[in-house]
Amino acid sequence: MPTKEELKRKACQAIDRRKDELIGIARDILEHPETGFNEHRTANIVKDKFQAMGVPYSDGLAITGVKGQVDFGAGPGPRLAIIGELDSLVVTEHPNADSDTGAAHACGHNCQIGMMLGATLGLVDDEIKPHLSGSLAPFAVPAEEFIDVEGRLRMREEGKLEFLGGKQELIRIGAFDDVQMAMMCHTASDMGEQSFSVGGTSNGHMVKYVQYIGRAAHAGGAPHLGINALNAATWALNAIHANRETVRENETGRFHGIVTKGGEAVNAVPADVRLEWRVRSSSPEAVVKNNSMVDRCFKAGALAVGAKVKITNIPGYLPMRHDPMLQSLFQSNASDLLGPERVAVIPSRRNRGGSTDMGDLSHVIPVCHPYAGGATGPGHSKSYIIADYEKAVITPAKIMAMVAIDLLAQDAEQAHGVLDQAKPPMDAKRYISYQRQRAEIIDFDGATEL
Ligand SMILES: [Zn+2]
Ligand SMILES: [Zn+2]
């Protein structure tokens, strides 16, 4: 019976043997970016690799998700998911952007697919698989980036989705019902001398789709006959700015968005103006409070010019909760592989400000979501580049395989330990009803409210 250390060494060797192929997958996905729920080509890559590894899978989960199934040989035990996100952003000026769609991997998810496949490769190795208990679900998941809200609302109307984020929808359809714990790693560019980090948290959020309806008229000849929906929106944005100083620092408030339609033609009073908006805060309670403030501001814009506004509030993500035992396994294995001086431990209250649907999953099962170095430039910008694929793909693949071995070797004793102490605040059923309760459409007519 090999020791855990021997198993880890063999898994890392198996990953090293296929290093070029794994980095090649990440580079290939970089060159063919696809946005959330459209990741068909990327999903096909995952299916091909699962097939080559002899891993059966189910596909088409939340449109593009692919979930593998690896049964280990040492007896029953918990099922662990190793997750990789399929989707890109839209960053038209990124050097690897798709010239037709503007899609670009400016958040490093291309590396996540490489590392998820790499960790799987290490664990299905003939010298490892018989010595682990339970099972593995290597899982390529869609749509972590919450973008193209209007397009996703259309998909919802067509009955293809209910929730508009990938893991949210996967929880809804029961794709995590047979998974007891999950892990993934995200790339990062802000690590300094370190190359791996654990800890910290993220914001929760509410996603908003806002439409102002005014009245069109000749902008030069008869503006008095029009109701200017763009002016309504402008007023609302200034009202949001006027409230920012009332938000406490510990709420990590981020209220931001884009105008997706500003009018039809310059010589007509804009009558149909649309915005996608986001309200992020550190706790679900602060999201509710700040979201109602932002709703008030959008109504204020309608009131100011007598326009109508329709605010569609869409359930967004929940703050991230790392399971402490999983996190300490990541810390110890990363330290063993890289040296403790290369591993940062971020205090649990430190909020990165962004949001992830891994936060949603963390409310249902124990999860861990560390960061791996290797990127440069600000995330979500044209300058976000993977400069070191070893750090961004191979290192996290090895660390995830090592953590999986710690969890599932020796009768999965450590995995049972995680499950014994884990206290996720919801189960899937409660999560789904909680999110459904957050969905709301507000119709407000600024011409008749006073
Ligand atoms: Zn991102
Ligand atoms: Zn990301």
Side-chain angles (χ1 to χ4, degrees):
M1 179 77 180
T3 64
K4 282 185 177 179
E5 297 319 308
E6 286 163 351
L7 291 172
K8 288 179 191 176
R9 203 165 43 245
K10 283 178 181 159
C12 289
Q13 285 165 356
I15 293 166
D16 270 334
R17 279 197 297 274
R18 306 275 286 276
K19 186 189 285 194
D20 293 346
E21 182 189 340
L22 293 166
I23 290 174
I25 293 166
R27 286 186 186 278
D28 179 47
I29 297 171
L30 174 75
E31 294 296 336
H32 300 90
E34 296 173 304
T35 56
F37 298 122
N38 301 304
E39 316 95 326
H40 298 286
R41 182 186 183 277
T42 316
N44 282 337
I45 293 175
V46 174
K47 289 185 233 177
D48 287 348
K49 297 296 165 187
F50 280 171
Q51 225 149 27
M53 284 190 260
V55 173
Y57 59 83
S58 39
D59 62 354
L61 301 168
I63 303 181
T64 51
V66 187
K67 182 184 178 190
Q69 163 86 23
V70 178
D71 292 311
F72 294 120
R79 177 167 301 165
L80 164 71
I82 294 184
I83 290 174
E85 294 164 348
L86 293 158
D87 63 320
S88 77
L89 280 159
V90 174
V91 181
T92 315
E93 293 188 321
H94 193 279
N96 304 103
D98 183 295
S99 54
D100 293 332
T101 63
H105 276 288
C107 201
H109 297 189
N110 55 314
C111 294
Q112 289 184 29
I113 298 300
M115 65 177 91
M116 178 273 288
L117 291 168
T120 308
L121 203 68
L123 295 167
V124 300
D125 190 89
D126 286 342
E127 294 193 88
I128 316 285
K129 200 173 162 185
H131 303 294
L132 302 182
S133 301
S135 59
L136 178 72
F139 204 164
V141 304
E144 188 273 337
E145 304 288 357
F146 215 133
I147 58 172
D148 187 23
V149 174
E150 188 171 325
R152 292 186 194 178
L153 284 172
R154 234 177 353 256
M155 287 177 158
R156 186 164 83 180
E157 274 162 30
E158 291 162 5
K160 294 177 180 162
L161 298 166
E162 177 181 340
F163 295 144
L164 305 189
K167 296 182 200 69
Q168 297 184 314
E169 182 68 358
L170 289 169
I171 296 171
R172 184 188 74 79
I173 65 171
F176 284 106
D177 284 356
D178 62 354
V179 171
Q180 278 77 51
M181 60 188 73
M183 61 169 76
M184 59 173 282
C185 296
H186 197 291
T187 54
S189 60
D190 52 0
M191 275 194 201
E193 290 301 298
Q194 275 127 350
S195 44
F196 200 80
S197 84
V198 296
T201 184
S202 61
N203 268 329
H205 68 42
M206 179 67 89
V207 177
K208 307 173 80 67
Y209 180 63
V210 181
Q211 184 176 19
Y212 281 102
I213 300 294
R215 189 166 57 225
H218 193 296
H224 58 286
L225 297 178
I227 297 173
N228 192 317
L230 186 60
N231 286 348
T234 308
W235 192 259
L237 301 199
N238 283 320
I240 293 168
H241 296 324
N243 278 278
R244 289 189 195 275
E245 68 180 11
T246 67
V247 178
R248 306 292 294 267
E249 283 79 0
N250 63 6
E251 292 176 16
T252 337
R254 306 279 192 271
F255 317 134
H256 58 93
I258 56 171
V259 176
T260 56
K261 182 174 182 184
E264 302 276 16
V266 67
N267 54 7
V269 172
D272 179 359
V273 167
R274 303 177 192 192
L275 305 94
E276 293 185 8
W277 214 255
R278 187 97 359 129
V279 175
R280 304 190 203 240
S281 302
S282 56
S283 70
E285 298 74 30
V287 172
V288 169
K289 175 178 77 83
N290 292 324
N291 185 58
S292 73
M293 176 270 285
V294 169
D295 281 344
R296 205 172 63 221
C297 296
F298 280 125
K299 288 178 188 171
L303 203 55
V305 304
K308 293 189 175 82
V309 64
K310 180 178 179 181
I311 306 167
T312 304
N313 280 326
I314 299 154
Y317 297 160
L318 298 178
M320 181 70 211
R321 313 166 74 250
H322 300 281
D323 180 85
M325 278 182 76
L326 289 177
Q327 182 175 313
S328 73
L329 288 177
F330 267 102
Q331 186 190 344
S332 63
N333 281 294
S335 299
D336 286 350
L337 189 71
L338 304 167
E341 70 285 359
R342 295 268 178 256
V343 181
V345 183
I346 313 293
S348 62
R349 294 191 65 79
R350 178 94 55 85
N351 189 329
R352 298 177 70 93
S355 309
T356 169
D357 53 2
M358 199 63 172
D360 295 48
L361 194 60
S362 77
H363 280 69
V364 179
I365 55 173
V367 314
C368 198
H369 179 282
Y371 286 82
T376 58
H380 293 196
S381 82
K382 67 178 180 182
S383 313
Y384 192 85
I385 305 288
I386 303 299
D388 185 335
Y389 276 87
E390 175 89 24
K391 278 188 186 163
V393 176
I394 304 304
T395 299
K398 288 178 181 171
I399 294 170
M400 288 198 287
M402 292 163 81
V403 173
I405 289 167
D406 267 336
L407 288 166
L408 299 176
Q410 294 167 358
D411 297 325
E413 193 187 341
Q414 293 248 41
H416 286 295
V418 169
L419 294 177
D420 287 346
Q421 58 81 45
K423 296 183 197 70
M426 302 177 181
D427 59 14
K429 208 171 141 205
R430 201 167 140 228
Y431 167 80
I432 294 163
S433 68
Y434 171 80
Q435 289 291 44
R436 283 181 179 153
Q437 281 162 17
R438 299 171 79 199
E440 180 187 25
I441 293 177
I442 298 170
D443 279 303
F444 181 86
D445 186 344
T448 59
E449 280 296 321
L450 283 182

